[in-house]
Amino acid sequence: MNTQNVRDVEGTVGPTPTVAPTLNVNIEKRYSDGTTIAADFDLPSNPPQVSIVFGPSGAGKTTLLRCIAGLERPTRGRIRYGEEIWSQHGTRHWVRPQKRPIGYLFQDFALFPHLTVERNIAFGLGAFSRSECHQKVEAISSRLGLEGLRGRRPGELSGGEQQRVALARVLVREPRILLLDEPFAALDERTRESVRSYLRNFLSQLEIPALVVTHDWIDALALGDEMMVLSRGRLLQKGSPQEVFTRPARREVAAAVGVDTVAPGRMLDRADGVVRLRVGRGELLAVDPGGEDNSFWVCIRGEDVTIEQGPPPRSSARNHLSGKVSAVFPQGTLTKVVLDVGFELVALVTRQAARDLNLAPGVGISAVFKASIVHLIPTK
Ligand code: ADP
Ligand code: MG
């Protein structure tokens, strides 16, 4: 029900869209072995957002989804959906999972192998008449491009198609919130790419908020409006994916979002908005972050580092660090080059560039990068 009757200023009664409620989660779940998962966040509905819960395996992501869905009881705190309290520790407030307007896409899709696509989708629509059921299944099948597959069984579908059937089964019940647990985990690398862009389009057109769990930062960057980083049961950072990736607030976040070089550095001096830092036996320049701190985690993404040989050309890049190659690792279409420039610095270059420069252990190079790509996290 998305409308309600209200009296407007002229005194007439008519339907007005209600404001969709916000899901507010502030909980802790403690297992008997002492493992604790804590989270405190909102899932906004106006406009509906795709929020990512990002973190390594074992961080507590699935536990968080299960608590929201009511499949797990939090050991502290409250889950509220607008004015409705779904769960509050120490009180009688508890809304059963079936009563929460949630669509939960399980990591393994959990389709019934013996049922056709059509019957899989219709499962859970029990309360509706046959013709209503048929109508609903038809509508959602066409929305997810499943018309031609309705007579098949899950075993006769590709991974991407199975996922669409699982999505259809969840969405046919018209949930107000969508939870997706590792939506790409069951797919092979080739399928992942196309499903990722399909899901991005699909979620952006969906009128309800979605919470997507993933341990893959490429997925997070591709899908999320907002992102929360969960590690060992703690929320370490919230922000737009872009912000979290370019400005991780903590060392663990930097490592988790794939920052290739994270090294301790100490400030030597600052002038004109630039700080000079000692890192290992080397030195580099970074944009002055301001503040009182003088000891930092120095974060540099491999794709921001250029490798040069020969005399340094005139350049606007503030950092030209000379050193040598310590190791070379092919990584798909790219090559990861580990450099010794007084500290260990990783550069990502194309395979072609690695060949042209004859990059191999011991070869002398200059590592070139701007002061502005160096991100500093105070060590505290
Ligand atoms: P993720 O989905 O991020 O991989 P989980 O939420 O599955 O993480 O698990 C988080 C932590 O909680 C892990 O250390 C896991 O072993 C523990 N855990 C999960 N479920 C249970 C359970 N039923 N009993 C005890 N510990 C559990
Ligand atoms: Mg999990």
Side-chain angles (χ1 to χ4, degrees):
M1 297 296 105
N2 210 18
T3 60
Q4 68 175 171
N5 287 333
V6 293
R7 203 166 284 276
D8 70 20
V9 281
E10 266 81 45
T12 56
V13 172
T16 302
T18 53
V19 176
T22 291
L23 178 72
N24 172 254
V25 178
N26 184 350
I27 52 162
E28 197 173 288
K29 172 73 185 175
R30 180 185 288 265
Y31 289 115
S32 51
D33 66 355
T35 304
T36 305
I37 292 127
D40 175 7
F41 66 93
D42 284 343
L43 190 61
S45 301
N46 301 295
Q49 282 195 337
V50 178
S51 300
I52 305 286
V53 179
F54 172 85
S57 178
K61 304 183 297 296
T62 297
T63 301
L64 184 57
L65 291 195
R66 289 177 58 82
C67 285
I68 294 171
L71 303 173
E72 209 70 74
R73 278 183 194 255
T75 35
R76 203 192 60 72
R78 185 171 73 172
I79 300 175
R80 196 161 47 85
Y81 182 59
E83 299 299 305
E84 226 173 86
I85 295 173
W86 284 358
S87 146
Q88 183 159 9
H89 182 65
T91 72
R92 293 167 63 92
H93 288 294
W94 176 256
V95 174
R96 283 180 294 139
Q98 305 87 319
K99 295 284 177 195
R100 303 186 187 190
I102 281 180
Y104 192 150
L105 188 77
F106 294 100
Q107 186 165 349
D108 59 1
F109 309 147
L111 296 173
F112 299 107
H114 60 292
L115 297 183
T116 60
V117 165
E118 177 150 18
R119 303 229 3 240
N120 261 288
I121 298 173
F123 196 87
L125 278 179
F128 293 92
S129 73
R130 230 184 136 82
S131 75
E132 271 179 314
C133 253
H134 187 75
Q135 215 170 31
K136 282 174 183 288
V137 171
E138 190 131 308
I140 197 70
S141 300
S142 103
R143 185 157 179 196
L144 280 150
L146 295 168
E147 298 97 327
L149 306 174
R150 281 161 46 184
R152 294 209 204 160
R153 292 193 165 67
E156 301 162 330
L157 302 173
S158 72
E161 288 165 347
Q162 287 181 25
Q163 185 183 61
R164 292 199 329 260
V165 175
L167 258 179
R169 188 179 62 184
V170 158
L171 293 173
V172 77
R173 303 178 64 179
E174 298 175 16
R176 309 305 307 154
I177 296 171
L178 186 58
L179 307 177
L180 298 101
D181 195 354
E182 305 269 8
F184 308 103
L187 306 175
D188 60 56
E189 200 51 49
R190 215 160 43 88
T191 316
R192 257 176 114 97
E193 199 74 32
S194 66
V195 171
R196 199 184 276 136
S197 74
Y198 176 84
L199 206 56
R200 177 178 43 217
N201 281 325
F202 188 78
L203 292 178
S204 69
Q205 283 161 30
L206 209 61
E207 310 79 12
I208 60 173
L211 193 60
V212 182
V213 157
T214 180
H215 65 266
D216 184 323
W217 57 269
I218 299 175
D219 296 343
L221 212 45
L223 293 178
D225 298 312
E226 275 292 302
M227 168 165 168
M228 299 178 258
V229 181
L230 192 67
S231 176
R232 291 193 231 159
R234 290 274 169 274
L235 271 186
L236 298 183
Q237 190 172 357
K238 289 183 240 184
S240 73
Q242 206 57 46
E243 185 180 308
V244 174
F245 285 104
T246 52
R247 287 192 293 282
R250 304 172 58 142
R251 185 190 183 202
E252 300 95 301
V253 178
V257 300
V259 175
D260 308 277
T261 300
V262 182
R266 175 159 284 284
M267 194 192 323
L268 297 172
D269 50 48
R270 64 192 339 157
D272 298 330
V274 173
V275 290
R276 198 158 58 91
L277 297 141
R278 170 157 298 277
V279 185
R281 291 169 285 106
E283 273 181 29
L284 56 77
L285 299 173
V287 171
D288 192 341
E292 301 289 297
D293 306 286
N294 56 17
S295 133
F296 300 92
W297 292 109
V298 174
C299 302
I300 300 174
R301 285 196 168 272
E303 56 270 35
D304 291 330
V305 178
T306 304
I307 298 177
E308 292 182 353
Q309 281 170 335
R314 288 167 66 84
S315 157
S316 64
R318 306 297 292 137
N319 292 293
H320 291 258
L321 312 185
S322 53
K324 56 185 174 28
V325 175
S326 357
V328 178
F329 303 101
Q331 272 193 347
T333 57
L334 295 177
T335 299
K336 174 174 158 179
V337 189
V338 183
L339 308 170
D340 177 4
V341 290
F343 60 97
E344 193 170 275
L345 176 67
V346 172
L348 277 177
V349 301
T350 60
R351 238 175 350 196
Q352 180 75 46
R355 258 199 312 269
D356 289 352
L357 294 173
N358 288 318
L359 296 180
V363 169
I365 50 84
S366 284
V368 180
F369 50 93
K370 293 178 167 189
S372 59
I373 63 91
V374 180
H375 171 64
L376 300 178
I377 303 171
T379 22
K380 294 261 166 36

